[in-house]
């Protein structure tokens, strides 16, 4: 802020001092040390009689100097909000471009950037092209799915490969190595049978049989 009469500049929360926001620089203790209330404006501090204080902490003395300097050179015009530009320069006009450059982390321009980000490009397609060029597109290749569960085996095709043919029980080590802990526990809780064949069961009725009513 460029202070004029100080009627629109917060003493503690606006960036009028070289130390920035004084509430952040001095903390809550600063209210007591300077004797200025939390909701005070710069005009309140400049307009009322106030005896300068001597402080042990150097930053407090610097703020006192700034207050005295403002009082001696007080401008009775309006306060003006200034916008930060590059290299710590402040200007009267807001620039979206300059603000964006301050917020983002800039990197070297890639030689293929114009092929993805160009005038009238569709942002969604440009984004997909960008992650594809960077080899970050999740294609799911190399993964297999069994009943909605992803697992790591390339050779596993049927459930009987997880069951010991002699005992008819699950091969615990194999199940736990192929599936995440939650899914492995659910599989191991299923009962196996060496007599019954696999059958399709309709999950909605208790009987397990499909009907047009339940479907």
């Amino acid at each position: 802020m460029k202070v004029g009469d100080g009627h629109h500049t917060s003493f503690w929360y606006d960036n009028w001092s070289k130390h920035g926001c004084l509430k952040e620089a001095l903390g809550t203790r600063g209210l007591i040390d300077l004797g200025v209330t939390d909701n005070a404006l710069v005009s309140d501090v400049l307009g009322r009689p106030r005896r300068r204080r001597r402080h042990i902490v150097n930053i407090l003395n610097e703020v006192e100097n700034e207050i005295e300097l403002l009082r001696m050179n007080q401008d009775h015009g309006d306060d003006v909000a200034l916008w930060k530009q590059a290299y710590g320069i402040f200007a009267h006009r807001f620039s979206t471009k300059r603000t964006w450059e301050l917020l983002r982390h800039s990197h070297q321009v890639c030689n293929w950037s114009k092929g993805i980000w160009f005038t009238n490009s569709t942002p969604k397609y440009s984004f997909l092209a960008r992650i594809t060029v960077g080899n970050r597109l999740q294609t799911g290749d190399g993964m297999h799915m069994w009943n909605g569960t992803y697992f790591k085996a390339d050779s596993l095709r049927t459930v009987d490969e997880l069951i010991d043919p002699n005992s008819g029980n699950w091969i615990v080590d194999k199940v736990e190595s192929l599936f995440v802990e939650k899914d492995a526990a659910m599989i191991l809780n299923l009962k196996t049978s060496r007599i019954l064949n696999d059958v399709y069961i309709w999950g909605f009725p208790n009987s397990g049989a499909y009907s047009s009513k339940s479907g």
Side-chain angles (χ1 to χ4, degrees), residues 30-62:
L31 279 73
I32 301 173
D33 292 333
L34 293 178
V36 179
T37 59
D38 187 66
N39 60 349
L41 300 174
V42 172
S43 59
D44 298 331
V45 179
L46 299 180
R48 63 182 174 84
R50 179 178 178 276
R51 185 172 63 87
R52 178 193 171 101
R53 299 184 178 185
R54 300 293 179 182
H55 306 277
I56 298 176
V57 181
N58 188 50
I59 187 174
L60 293 171
N61 290 318
E62 292 179 359

Side-chain angles (χ1 to χ4, degrees), residues 72-89:
M72 290 187 297
N73 301 319
Q74 187 173 5
D75 182 2
H76 295 286
D78 293 333
D79 299 336
V80 179
L82 300 177
W83 299 93
K84 189 175 183 179
Q85 310 291 309
Y87 308 109
I89 299 174

Side-chain angles (χ1 to χ4, degrees), residues 140-157 178-179:
D141 56 325
M143 300 181 70
H144 298 275
M145 179 181 285
W146 176 68
N147 285 348
T149 303
Y150 289 102
F151 58 94
K152 298 173 286 186
D154 290 331
S155 59
L156 187 61
R157 292 293 178 268
L178 294 177
F179 297 90

